[in-house]
Amino acid sequence: MTQLTEHFSVEELTASDTAVRLGIDNTPPPDIIPHLVINAHGLERIRNVTWQPLIVHSAYRCEALERVLTAKDFAAWCVRHAKEPEMAWPEYFARKSHPKGYSSDFICPAFGPPPEIVRVIRGSGIKFDQLIIEGVTAAGAGWVHASFDPQLRGEVLTATFTNGTPSYTAVA
């Protein structure tokens, strides 16, 4: 195990069942490791305000994995921006924080549902680039996307999915 922080390792932040199933090597290049360290420190700060372990479902994604996982979103993005898919991938991909190693999708079931986790993070003073409440159902299932990209825009959004394609709404 290669520990990045007390509770988070490179292996945890690069694990992907989808990558294993599809035979995709999701090993980050050396220049991504410092970004994973920033991400892990952000996750530690979240862990400190929830007082509970976080379960990371997805963090770093190599380009091949990102292409698979965002296929529907990419297609919808191309339509919204009137872009030809064959030419638009580099522009779309450049916007993504998972391949840069700065973001993680996680749950914290011992603490509460994603909206409650986001509420506590917002009130904690933790600096972040994005918090997105994603995939929440009536039963409370879903996850939190947290990005610690150095832009630190402090964006808080809710993502709703229609046929696997997300749409985003700012949270006041």
Side-chain angles (χ1 to χ4, degrees):
M1 274 287 200
T2 307
Q3 288 300 124
L4 298 168
T5 61
E6 181 181 356
H7 298 103
F8 298 98
S9 67
V10 169
E11 292 78 8
E12 180 178 12
L13 297 186
T14 61
S16 169
D17 291 343
T18 301
V20 170
R21 188 176 69 252
L22 298 176
I24 296 170
D25 180 1
N26 197 42
T27 304
D31 63 318
I32 295 295
I33 299 299
H35 303 178
L36 289 173
V37 171
I38 290 168
N39 188 356
H41 280 290
L43 292 172
E44 288 287 354
R45 289 190 293 277
I46 293 170
R47 194 178 194 279
N48 288 338
V49 299
T50 63
W51 293 89
Q52 300 295 329
L54 308 180
I55 301 167
V56 177
H57 288 287
S58 181
Y60 171 74
R61 300 176 189 161
C62 68
E63 185 170 0
L65 182 57
E66 186 73 0
R67 194 179 278 272
V68 169
L69 294 175
T70 64
K72 288 182 179 182
D73 184 50
F74 173 59
W77 182 87
C78 288
V79 169
R80 281 193 314 274
H81 294 88
K83 304 274 185 177
E84 290 297 323
E86 302 79 34
M87 304 299 291
W89 176 257
E91 181 183 350
Y92 173 83
F93 183 70
R95 305 169 48 253
K96 308 304 282 179
S97 63
H98 281 284
K100 295 173 186 167
Y102 287 125
S103 63
S104 296
D105 295 341
F106 69 91
I107 58 172
C108 187
F111 182 80
E116 181 64 13
I117 295 166
V118 167
R119 186 190 66 74
V120 167
I121 296 168
R122 286 181 83 181
S124 72
I126 294 172
K127 302 285 185 216
F128 56 87
D129 185 51
Q130 282 187 323
L131 291 176
I132 306 174
I133 302 164
E134 297 197 54
V136 175
T137 65
W143 64 93
V144 175
H145 167 94
S147 171
F148 298 98
D149 185 295
Q151 296 177 73
L152 298 176
R153 296 171 291 176
E155 275 189 337
V156 182
L157 306 167
T158 297
T160 53
F161 293 82
T162 304
N163 297 322
T165 301
S167 59
Y168 300 91
T169 307
V171 175

